[in-house]
Amino acid sequence: MPSQPSDRGTFEPASNSIFTDRDVYVFDLDNTLYPSESNLFAQVDVKIGEYVQNLLSLDPTEARSLQKKYLVDHGTTLKGLMVNHNIDPHHYLADVHDIDMSPISNDPALRRSLEAIDGRRIVFTNADRPYAEQVLDRLGVADMFEGIFDIHSADLDPKPKPHVYDKFLQEFQVNPAQAIMFEDMARNLVPAHDLGMATVWVNTGSVWGEAGYAREKVHAETNTLNDWLQGHLGL
């Protein structure tokens, strides 16, 4: 079970020296670059549950349980379905990402923070590129990133599998000692920390976001990405 907030201790501020001289900013997408309150990924979550339910002829409660079991065991529900049920990942991704994007809107404050970064900006997501591009376009920041490392870039293996991080670092020629990773899923920060990245956990209050939490692997915590960026960048 995830730890309770009272067990987490005190987190270092954005000004902590661990973040000094790091000029590669690596961002997760869902519930990180946009606020979880938009409930955009909640739509995807529902679609995943419906997919599992229809695929395996389960009732909603059984489907939800299996969906989250695969998420924890395999990193994504997709990977669990591929391993256990040999599904077509392209069909799955097209289905679960067919959602209403209107909850996401232009975010000038986020854009100002990204513009203030003196360094590289990369998206590292378990989603696929078409979906990620739609989200970034809705936020008004699509042109702010040099690239997107998506689930296909990772050969359909998800974070937090360590070799996926190795592949990311190789593809973008990133020195982890110069990188900061931002992520709402605490367990996805563990391999990043072990490689030498600084880590910032965007705590959305989700049980699944806190799963696999390890205090010693997280250098900073924030409820909102842009608040942390503004503090770090002195905006």
Side-chain angles (χ1 to χ4, degrees), residues 138-215:
R138 294 283 306 180
L139 288 169
V141 298
D143 61 323
M144 298 301 298
F145 298 91
E146 73 173 77
I148 299 169
F149 189 89
D150 75 340
I151 194 67
H152 294 295
S153 305
D155 298 323
L156 297 169
D157 279 333
K159 297 178 284 185
K161 295 189 176 182
H163 73 272
V164 173
Y165 295 71
D166 293 335
K167 187 172 176 58
F168 164 77
L169 295 174
Q170 181 176 10
E171 179 164 326
F172 284 94
Q173 291 297 289
V174 170
N175 176 355
Q178 295 179 303
I180 307 173
M181 185 166 178
F182 303 86
E183 172 70 64
D184 71 301
M185 305 293 282
R187 66 178 176 274
N188 291 346
L189 291 173
V190 173
H193 175 279
D194 291 345
L195 285 164
M197 295 188 197
T199 58
V200 179
W201 180 35
V202 181
N203 179 5
T204 66
S206 162
V207 171
W208 304 109
E210 198 173 350
Y213 167 85
R215 169 66 183 89

Side-chain angles (χ1 to χ4, degrees), residues 1 7 21 33 37 40 54 70 98 102 108 185-186 198 211 228 233:
M1 292 292 293
D7 297 332
D21 298 325
L33 279 171
E37 290 79 12
L40 186 74
N54 295 331
Y70 284 167
D98 182 17
S102 63
M185 305 293 282
W228 191 91
L233 298 167

Side-chain angles (χ1 to χ4, degrees), residues 49-58 81 85-87 92:
E50 291 173 347
Y51 192 98
V52 174
Q53 184 179 347
N54 295 331
L55 176 72
L56 302 175
S57 300
L58 300 175
L81 291 172
H85 306 285
N86 197 32
I87 68 161
Y92 170 94

Side-chain angles (χ1 to χ4, degrees), residues 8-223:
R8 291 203 298 258
T10 303
F11 279 72
E12 298 296 336
S15 58
N16 182 30
S17 62
I18 191 70
F19 302 107
T20 304
D21 298 325
R22 293 180 185 260
D23 59 2
V24 184
Y25 290 67
V26 182
F27 297 93
D28 176 51
L29 181 75
D30 285 311
N31 295 331
T32 298
L33 279 171
Y34 63 81
S36 62
E37 290 79 12
S38 69
N39 288 325
L40 186 74
F41 191 75
Q43 293 186 60
V44 178
D45 193 48
V46 169
K47 294 279 286 186
I48 294 171
E50 291 173 347
Y51 192 98
V52 174
Q53 184 179 347
N54 295 331
L55 176 72
L56 302 175
S57 300
L58 300 175
D59 68 39
T61 301
E62 292 172 325
R64 178 74 174 175
S65 177
L66 187 62
Q67 171 189 350
K68 295 307 181 181
K69 181 181 189 309
Y70 284 167
L71 172 64
V72 172
D73 291 349
H74 296 277
T76 59
T77 305
L78 168 60
K79 191 63 177 182
L81 291 172
M82 289 172 60
V83 169
N84 293 286
H85 306 285
N86 197 32
I87 68 161
D88 175 3
H90 300 280
H91 178 268
Y92 170 94
L93 289 166
D95 186 278
V96 303
H97 288 150
D98 182 17
I99 61 171
D100 174 18
M101 287 283 180
S102 63
I104 299 295
S105 58
N106 191 277
D107 190 342
L110 175 63
R111 185 174 181 87
R112 285 194 295 271
S113 295
L114 294 174
E115 287 175 335
I117 290 173
D118 183 16
R120 303 168 65 191
R121 300 172 294 267
I122 307 168
V123 173
F124 182 5
T125 176
N126 279 342
D128 63 3
R129 180 180 295 273
Y131 170 80
E133 288 175 341
Q134 286 187 71
V135 172
L136 296 177
D137 186 61
R138 294 283 306 180
L139 288 169
V141 298
D143 61 323
M144 298 301 298
F145 298 91
E146 73 173 77
I148 299 169
F149 189 89
D150 75 340
I151 194 67
H152 294 295
S153 305
D155 298 323
L156 297 169
D157 279 333
K159 297 178 284 185
K161 295 189 176 182
H163 73 272
V164 173
Y165 295 71
D166 293 335
K167 187 172 176 58
F168 164 77
L169 295 174
Q170 181 176 10
E171 179 164 326
F172 284 94
Q173 291 297 289
V174 170
N175 176 355
Q178 295 179 303
I180 307 173
M181 185 166 178
F182 303 86
E183 172 70 64
D184 71 301
M185 305 293 282
R187 66 178 176 274
N188 291 346
L189 291 173
V190 173
H193 175 279
D194 291 345
L195 285 164
M197 295 188 197
T199 58
V200 179
W201 180 35
V202 181
N203 179 5
T204 66
S206 162
V207 171
W208 304 109
E210 198 173 350
Y213 167 85
R215 169 66 183 89
E216 68 278 8
K217 306 295 184 179
V218 177
H219 293 121
E221 176 188 347
T222 182
N223 297 122

